[in-house]
Amino acid sequence: MGARESTAEEPSRAAGGCVLVVLGGVAAAAAFAVDEAVGVLGVVAVGWGALWRSARRLSVSSATPPPPSAPPSGDEFAVESLRVREVRQGPGEGMTIFPEIEYVTDADSAGEVTS
């Protein structure tokens, strides 16, 4: 018998969410059992906290994206032509079509294409 590999299982986010909902429900029930006003204030406080956290997360995710990377050297851009370079049969009934790639530079004039 070989040694079994121990794989670290990642905890389920859904299970963690269910546990938090149950714990929150128990806490809300206990607060309402103490006094109705305490329960209402607790629910309002949790709602404000969730709204604040959501607003903070939104401001971070809407940050300005980094500047684009530098263009290719020599101002060359690849374009696909209508000519086919190669056709390969894949697994099953599928086929892959590879078009010819043409490189266009600023030096080309009036739409001429260098291949």
Side-chain angles (χ1 to χ4, degrees), residues 12-72:
S12 170
R13 291 179 64 120
C18 289
V19 168
L20 289 177
V21 166
V22 169
L23 289 175
V26 168
F32 275 102
V34 170
D35 187 14
E36 188 174 335
V38 173
V40 170
L41 288 175
V43 169
V44 169
V46 168
W48 276 108
L51 181 65
W52 178 79
R53 184 169 187 240
S54 175
R56 295 278 300 167
R57 186 179 313 171
L58 180 65
S59 66
V60 170
S61 65
S62 64
T64 306
S69 61

